[in-house]
Amino acid sequence: CKQCREMVNKLCIRQIGDEVYVILNWTQYKEVLFTIEQVDVLSKAANEFYEAIPVFAREKEKPEIDYGLKIKLESIKTNMIKTMDVIIELYESINDFDEEKGIDIKIPPCESLGQYISYLKEIDFIFSQCPLLKHKEGNIKFKTVDVGSQWISFTIVASVGGIAVTYILNNLALLIDKAIQIRSHIKNIEQQEEILRSMKLQNDVLESSLEGFIILKQHHYDEAIKAIEEENKDTPLKDGEERGKLEKCLEKLGELVDKGVEIYASINSDKDIQVLFPALEDKAQLPDSIIKFIEDKQNPENK
């Protein structure tokens, strides 16, 4: 709410004719509506605002509306601002907001306590074992579970200066980005594996193809680790054991994000760090060389 309130309040409607008005900042306003729609108590108002815009006008950069709709939209906006102010005031009155910077994690709905605990175990493994989430001047420490929600918070305990905070948060954002990319590649590969298995190929052709997929999966991890090391030249990985831990953390992180776990820098973190969370998912496709390899294996004329 604190991040979106200013933009919600900046609804810009200008008159361009007799009872004809235009929303000048509709593109940005539409995006912020989609964001606050995730907040339960704002969802109805955000949807009401969006759906009030005629369907034929919604995709225009500057939709035209009449006077009656202008009054309605401004009324909805005012009510949204009032609700956001109440949320902010109430939340800050019951939570201890200090200058500590850290990490907020949203756990997806769980069917059992065991499932919830399994998420926590995976998160603990990543934070405690990943070599790039440790710093000589600071470390990640559990802070709190937000009452009445699925959010858990961690703080970064660090010495004055913020070097460790920036280091850990930047690396976490980088790890999420790479983990999502790898997960996209892996899911694509797994789909191709299923296709191959369903084709009832000869055993030697199937085994050879699946072996190629294993090599390809490892290639994606190796490339990600190489890129991460390039970003951390000042603090290189010490040995193969640390690389192995990093690879395992990337795997677990990708699985968590794929299951719906959301990871963010805390709201009082620097804006240039916050924008890195969450990372955008890159859609990956199998390289042409791998597809050609599969086709060649299926063609008995090719040796």
Side-chain angles (χ1 to χ4, degrees):
C1 285
K2 292 181 74 172
Q3 290 176 329
C4 295
R5 186 193 183 284
E6 183 179 357
M7 183 60 202
V8 171
N9 200 37
K10 281 184 177 179
L11 176 63
C12 186
I13 300 177
R14 181 175 298 172
Q15 186 172 6
I16 60 172
D18 293 339
E19 293 203 7
V20 179
Y21 297 80
V22 63
I23 305 176
L24 296 178
N25 59 340
W26 175 236
T27 300
Q28 296 84 357
Y29 211 85
K30 183 166 53 175
E31 290 178 359
V32 82
L33 286 175
F34 292 154
T35 300
I36 65 173
E37 192 268 340
Q38 300 175 59
V39 182
D40 289 344
V41 295
L42 291 169
S43 178
K44 182 179 179 180
N47 284 325
E48 183 182 2
F49 190 107
Y50 180 77
E51 291 173 2
I53 309 293
V55 175
F56 65 86
R58 288 177 193 166
E59 298 307 317
K60 293 183 179 180
E61 186 176 350
K62 298 177 181 179
E64 295 183 4
I65 58 176
D66 59 27
Y67 178 75
L69 184 52
K70 170 185 178 293
I71 297 301
K72 179 178 181 179
L73 295 180
E74 289 178 339
S75 175
I76 297 173
K77 180 209 76 173
T78 299
N79 289 332
M80 287 193 295
I81 290 296
K82 289 179 180 178
T83 302
M84 295 171 86
D85 287 342
V86 170
I87 292 172
I88 293 169
E89 182 179 354
L90 176 62
Y91 197 78
E92 291 189 344
S93 70
I94 62 175
N95 285 274
D96 178 23
F97 282 90
D98 51 33
E99 292 304 313
E100 291 182 336
K101 295 180 174 120
I103 303 156
D104 293 330
I105 300 178
K106 184 179 181 182
I107 306 296
C110 298
E111 296 180 356
S112 66
L113 180 61
Q115 186 180 26
Y116 184 80
I117 292 173
S118 71
Y119 284 128
L120 299 184
K121 286 182 177 179
E122 300 288 33
I123 292 168
D124 178 65
F125 180 91
I126 293 167
F127 285 174
S128 64
Q129 297 299 317
C130 183
L132 294 180
L133 297 181
K134 298 178 181 179
H135 194 275
K136 62 181 179 180
E137 296 184 9
N139 57 75
I140 300 172
K141 180 181 178 182
F142 172 72
K143 183 179 181 183
T144 184
V145 176
D146 197 18
V147 177
S149 76
Q150 295 286 87
W151 287 90
I152 56 177
S153 297
F154 296 81
T155 185
I156 300 176
V157 181
S159 58
V160 179
I163 297 176
V165 174
T166 302
Y167 173 84
I168 291 173
L169 290 180
N170 277 332
N171 273 338
L172 180 59
L174 179 61
L175 291 176
I176 293 172
D177 182 51
K178 296 302 179 185
I180 290 175
Q181 290 181 34
I182 291 172
R183 189 62 185 166
S184 179
H185 287 302
I186 297 299
K187 290 175 73 174
N188 199 316
I189 292 171
E190 289 173 347
Q191 290 174 358
Q192 298 299 320
E193 287 179 340
E194 288 301 314
I195 292 173
L196 282 179
R197 294 181 189 279
S198 67
M199 293 173 66
K200 298 181 180 180
L201 301 172
Q202 294 180 359
N203 286 338
D204 58 338
V205 174
L206 179 60
E207 290 178 7
S208 179
S209 300
L210 295 178
E211 186 176 321
F213 285 137
I214 294 173
I215 295 172
L216 183 57
K217 288 178 183 178
Q218 187 60 51
H219 167 76
H220 289 307
Y221 279 106
D222 292 342
E223 287 296 302
I225 292 173
K226 182 180 178 181
I228 292 170
E229 286 187 292
E230 284 292 315
E231 294 286 336
N232 287 272
K233 291 182 179 179
D234 294 336
T235 54
L237 298 173
K238 296 177 182 178
D239 49 36
E241 181 180 354
E242 285 198 343
R243 287 185 178 84
K245 288 182 178 180
L246 176 56
E247 181 177 327
K248 194 65 178 177
C249 288
L250 284 170
E251 180 184 348
K252 289 180 177 292
L253 191 54
E255 291 173 352
L256 285 174
V257 173
D258 194 42
K259 291 176 181 177
V261 173
E262 300 175 31
I263 304 174
Y264 304 93
S266 59
I267 195 168
N268 56 350
S269 300
D270 296 337
K271 296 298 181 184
D272 58 341
I273 291 179
Q274 283 192 35
V275 297
L276 301 177
F277 294 81
L280 295 175
E281 183 173 358
D282 291 333
K283 299 297 182 182
Q285 300 294 332
L286 279 176
D288 291 340
S289 58
I290 298 299
I291 297 176
K292 186 176 185 302
F293 170 77
I294 296 171
E295 292 173 345
D296 288 345
K297 284 291 182 180
Q298 296 178 50
N299 189 345
E301 296 181 359
N302 294 328
K303 301 297 181 179

